[in-house]
Every structure is written in C-alpha cells, then in structure tokens.
Amino acid sequence: MPVASDQDLILRPGELRDAETIAAFNRAMALETEGRGLQPERSLAGAQRLLRDPALGFYLVAERDGAVVGSLMVTYEWSDWRNGHFWWIQSVYVVPEARRTGVFRALYRHVTEMVQRDATVCGLRLYVETSNERAQATYASLGMARTHYLVYEEERPGADFFA
C-alpha cells in the first residue's frame, strides 16, 4: 500500500518482497561509491533482517511504472543529550536512469515529513563519502548541514564482510 505519491512516483515502506532489489542496490552502491564488492548472500541476509525486525530500522522505496527505482534505509541512534532518536539515512540508491529526476528528493521529503510527525525523533543524520561532491551538494540543497563530527570505525577482527 503506497504511503505517498509524488508525481509519477509511489513511495512506500520496503517489504520482504523488496529484499533482493534492495540487496542488489546495496551491492551496486558499495561498488560505485567505495569500489567495494559486497557478498551477495550477506547483503541479502542483511536486507531481510532489517525488513523482518522494525526495531533495527526501515526501508523506504520509490516505484515508477511498477518498478523500484530507488530506496533508502533509516536506522536509529539514541541521543541522551536530546532525549530522542536521530534517524540515520543510509544505503541511499537510485538506479542510474532515474537519477536527477527527483527520486531521492521525494524519498528525503517523505522522511522529513515522518520526522515532523514523530516527537521522539530529534533529527536526521547521514554520512557521505568525502569525495562524493555531487551527493554533498544534493544534501546541502535539501537543508542538511555538514557537522563538525568525523566518523571512525573499527571492524571486528577476522570478520569477512566484503567479496
């Protein structure tokens, strides 16, 4: 069931039937933006797990002419400073032929409308590759501001996440 329509787009929550498409989007995005290959089985299992467990987050998908042309994932971060959740926008992907046609803008606008209706959410965050200037310009044009934070990570030793 659609939750919103934006011209020729239908926006709706991701469903288990979208797992293969979302996993394929995630693999394409990782290769395109980071030059990393994701393991197909692991990326599919990751998408399915989130779709089955709403405590982890949710996907929002955009359909055009019956085909999913874009998606994003929202996960949650608790802020004790604000006594609320930040929603992290992650795994953003729009198929190449649908880029620059308003797909991401519609997905983002829908998420911001959801945030406005939920007083437990204190804001939105996302991270972007430092070299992805086009994405950074898009996010700025939507009203997002670069923060003073940097992201650090340490992966579990011995873990094999990439193809």
Side-chain angles (χ1 to χ4, degrees), residues 38-122:
L38 301 182
Q39 298 170 358
E41 307 81 24
R42 185 178 291 271
S43 63
L44 177 58
Q48 290 171 332
R49 183 167 178 196
L50 186 130
L51 288 163
R52 288 185 175 119
D53 187 352
L56 297 175
F58 64 89
Y59 288 104
L60 187 63
V61 300
E63 289 184 343
R64 180 177 282 147
D65 298 325
V68 176
V69 295
S71 65
L72 59 76
M73 177 179 73
V74 172
T75 60
Y76 315 118
E77 172 193 1
W78 179 252
S79 173
D80 54 349
W81 288 11
R82 294 169 177 89
N83 190 29
H85 287 103
F86 275 101
W87 281 7
W88 277 85
I89 295 175
Q90 301 180 66
S91 299
V92 173
Y93 190 78
V94 176
V95 296
E97 59 272 15
R99 292 179 186 167
R100 313 308 286 176
T101 66
V103 174
F104 175 72
R105 185 172 296 276
L107 288 164
Y108 180 82
R109 184 177 31 228
H110 186 72
V111 170
T112 61
E113 290 168 0
M114 293 173 70
V115 167
Q116 292 300 317
R117 293 189 303 265
D118 188 341
T120 68
V121 181
C122 58

Side-chain angles (χ1 to χ4, degrees), residues 138-160:
T138 297
Y139 302 144
S141 76
L142 293 169
M144 295 194 90
R146 186 175 178 168
T147 70
H148 61 278
Y149 296 107
L150 295 174
V151 175
Y152 286 75
E153 77 175 10
E154 181 178 350
E155 290 186 354
R156 184 173 45 115
D160 181 23

Side-chain angles (χ1 to χ4, degrees), residues 32-35 127-137 139 146:
E32 182 180 319
T33 62
E34 299 182 33
Y127 55 86
V128 60
E129 286 289 316
T130 55
S131 62
N132 193 340
E133 294 176 3
R134 178 181 254 182
Q136 291 174 43
Y139 302 144
R146 186 175 178 168

